[in-house]
Amino acid sequence: MSQSPSIPRHIAIVMDGNGRWAKNQGKPRSAGHQAGSDALKRTVEAVGRRGIDTLTVYAFSSENWHRPSVEVKHLLELFLNALNRDVAELDQNNVALRFIGHRMAFNAAIRDGMRRAEAKTLNNDGLCLNVAVNYGGHAEITHAVRQLAQEITQGVLRPEQVTEQAIEEKLYTQGLPAPDLLIRTGGEKRLSNFLLWQMAYTELHFTDTLWPDFGAEDLDAALADFSCRQRRFGTLPQVENA
Ligand code: IPE
Ligand code: IPE
Ligand code: MG
């Protein structure tokens, strides 16, 4: 199943570097997060224009709660503002929104905003935009496995039915293809607990660009890098396969 992809169907992004961007500008970290939210709007448009089906962005990890409370509070306010202000425009642009992560940790206003945004954009058939909030790969897999264990206890599932497919069907990303390309901005070369199950064969692209500076040129550089990759999925390149 070796293939030379030209354009990814699904891009995942770890939007990192807001704090360092703000520091470089002599501004508070909150200004970096605001600029990061503008970068996300630009990127959604650019990704949509390039005919990519699905974009999954890491906005807030399950570990980000451990940041100073003033920063967490600001991030939650920014999220609620985006839910109130930006969903109509996304809807007009035919974007289908979905949130992945454990949402019970959020207050009722945010949970309601997420629910309304998903319902409003449910039937859109343009870009599928998944926003990971209070998301952690370990938590997601644990949650999936716990649900299967409960089904076994209830007698509706047998242990041998705990297959890779059964686990996938319990993940937040159920029904979506795995990401073809991961972009991480901000220079760090790690996954930070993002889409651990889903990224088994994802191509990884790391850039030093800080997220608020990310633009169409950076996206195109990542796409060019991706188009040069040879994906093998554990098999041999086609020419040696004969
Ligand atoms: C990413 O930027 C945004 C979130 C994690 C919410 P950071 O806030 O991690 O920025 P740096 O890594 O400190 O520069
Ligand atoms: C990953 O960035 C999470 C998000 C971008 C939302 P972090 O800044 O939290 O990751 P670490 O701490 O550098 O691994
Ligand atoms: Mg960071």
Side-chain angles (χ1 to χ4, degrees):
M1 222 221 321
S2 163
Q3 61 184 76
S4 260
S6 50
I7 190 148
R9 283 172 73 198
H10 182 177
I11 298 180
I13 306 183
V14 178
M15 308 184 290
D16 195 25
N18 295 351
R20 280 163 285 166
W21 181 90
K23 194 172 180 206
N24 293 345
Q25 313 254 328
K27 292 179 179 165
R29 290 180 62 86
S30 57
H33 295 311
Q34 179 60 59
S37 112
D38 298 339
L40 175 57
K41 277 196 225 171
R42 292 196 307 269
T43 303
V44 168
E45 280 173 30
V47 166
R49 277 200 302 273
R50 281 157 185 74
I52 288 144
D53 296 341
T54 305
L55 174 65
T56 302
V57 295
Y58 206 6
F60 190 81
S61 77
S62 48
E63 287 73 37
N64 287 151
W65 293 106
H66 302 303
R67 293 188 177 197
S69 60
V70 56
E71 176 159 349
V72 172
K73 188 165 171 278
H74 175 78
L75 285 166
L76 296 180
E77 277 167 14
L78 207 59
F79 183 34
L80 187 58
N81 286 344
L83 286 170
N84 289 332
R85 289 190 201 148
D86 299 335
V87 173
E89 192 180 329
L90 288 170
D91 185 41
Q92 274 160 20
N93 292 333
N94 201 21
V95 171
L97 253 180
R98 174 157 149 185
F99 297 96
I100 62 172
H102 183 58
R103 45 181 94 188
M104 288 312 286
F106 295 110
N107 65 34
I110 290 181
R111 290 205 310 271
D112 192 48
M114 289 195 276
R115 192 189 49 71
R116 279 187 286 114
E118 287 175 332
K120 190 176 173 66
T121 63
L122 182 67
N123 295 319
N124 291 344
D125 58 4
L127 178 72
C128 172
L129 173 62
N130 306 305
V131 181
V133 281
N134 191 23
Y135 175 88
H138 284 178
E140 179 182 41
I141 295 167
T142 305
H143 179 248
V145 170
R146 189 178 302 138
Q147 284 182 70
L148 294 172
Q150 275 161 355
E151 289 182 12
I152 291 175
T153 310
Q154 289 157 5
V156 294
L157 194 75
R158 294 191 308 278
E160 60 273 24
Q161 290 175 308
V162 179
T163 59
E164 292 187 12
Q165 195 190 340
I167 292 174
E168 262 165 22
E169 283 168 7
K170 300 291 188 199
L171 298 177
Y172 298 121
T173 53
Q174 172 258 319
L176 293 173
D180 300 297
L181 170 66
L182 169 81
I183 300 170
R184 180 168 184 148
T185 62
E188 311 294 357
K189 295 181 180 63
R190 54 178 172 254
L191 298 180
S192 301
N193 205 12
F194 193 36
L195 300 176
L196 296 183
W197 176 283
Q198 297 86 342
M199 295 213 284
Y201 273 102
T202 298
E203 299 293 328
L204 309 178
H205 175 89
F206 298 102
T207 170
D208 289 335
T209 300
L210 301 171
W211 176 248
D213 290 327
F214 190 85
E217 277 180 24
D218 300 278
L219 176 63
D220 287 334
L223 292 173
D225 182 15
F226 178 79
S227 71
C228 298
R229 306 285 178 93
Q230 187 188 50
R231 307 188 75 188
R232 289 192 288 279
F233 300 96
T235 68
L236 293 177
Q238 237 139 47
V239 65
E240 292 170 35
N241 213 2

